[in-house]
Amino acid sequence: MQFKISVGKLAVAAGLACGLFAGAVPAQAQSAGVLHIYNWTDYTAPDLIAKFTKETGIKVTLDTYDSNETLLAKLKAGGTGYDIVVASNDFVPIFIDQKLIQPINAADMPNFKNLDPKWQARPWDPKAAYSVPWQWGTTSFSYDSSVYPGPVDSLGTLFNPPAVFSGKVSMFGSPSEVINLALLYMGKPICDTNPADLNALVKILETQKPSVKVYNSAGISDRLVSGEAAIAQIWSGDAARARMQKATLRYVYAKEGAIGWMDNMAVPVGAPDYANALKFINFMMDPKNAAIETNFAGYQNAVPASAPYVTPTLASSPEFNPPKDLKMVFTKSCPALAIKDYDRVWTLLRQ
Ligand code: SPD
């Protein structure tokens, strides 16, 4: 691994000398020829990978995970061999603090100017020193209106489901995602450490539990489409894709609000192909490439000039267009005490 790291650094030096972003592919990077991506499930457009390989000659491998917690555990274990990971805004500061991702100075990349200024300086990475936006969306839930006609306007339908959903509820397998949405339902802040609130939170989750079929952040759309689940915690883009396969599915913007988030590309410390990683990040800030990803996964990107290339069906879909008056609570990194509390709640729930 040490050897690989120094090869990566040499490639960067060679890249800078040869004009890394000027279209010239440095000979050394070409001979390395591989980029190892670790991304969320169903979140990397195959066409994008094919286009990147065609344009650069760099082959791509792709492994997937289902939660920030899994990504964190993987990077902490070390020696992953990944060049690109995609972390949510609430986890980026954790990766930076724990020295698990390395500087990339994105502002120096030619395509950085394509980012919407509001996403260039993000609170979790104000100088874009470590990360570049991948996509953003909301978290709420979808239900099958052929199973339960509604109307549905509250997160209560997910957390205190009607009997018809018994054994048909699908929840994420991630403490941060389940607890953040439950706190929103309670009208409490993210990262809450108030003991009375946490007791009430545990009660809500334990009351919901007998109706839950599975806690798993992968395969949600498949479960909804097959009917294995009739109501599911889900991200907006995945919800849009599921509805396109099963028209009776409805994504809910609840009166309590929805969780907002942004996922970000970053380069792990020890990435074997650092130069290739920077090329991929720059490639992703090209409007057409950003649109390919958006059209595949169903989420908004941070490149405004990609809009003309986004399919009208997606661009006009309800999942892609949160209502103007939606109470959107953006996630944030919790302090250590709150993370401990989240872990305790999750352990209690899952025992
Ligand atoms: N299909 C995978 C979508 C991944 C979305 N990531 C959202 C993270 C929110 N905390």
Side-chain angles (χ1 to χ4, degrees), residues 39-44 65-68 86-91 134-139 172 174 176-177 180 217-221 235-238 241 259-263 296-297 299 331:
N39 197 357
W40 298 72
T41 42
D42 290 329
Y43 212 31
T44 316
Y65 51 88
D66 62 357
S67 69
N68 285 297
V86 179
S88 301
N89 55 295
D90 46 339
F91 276 69
W134 177 256
Q135 295 183 99
W136 71 269
T138 60
T139 302
F172 287 155
S174 144
S176 58
E177 305 239 43
N180 285 344
S217 302
I220 303 161
S221 304
W235 305 289
S236 48
D238 287 63
R241 292 168 69 183
I259 298 288
W261 48 265
M262 172 171 266
D263 290 331
F296 171 77
Y299 296 92
T331 54

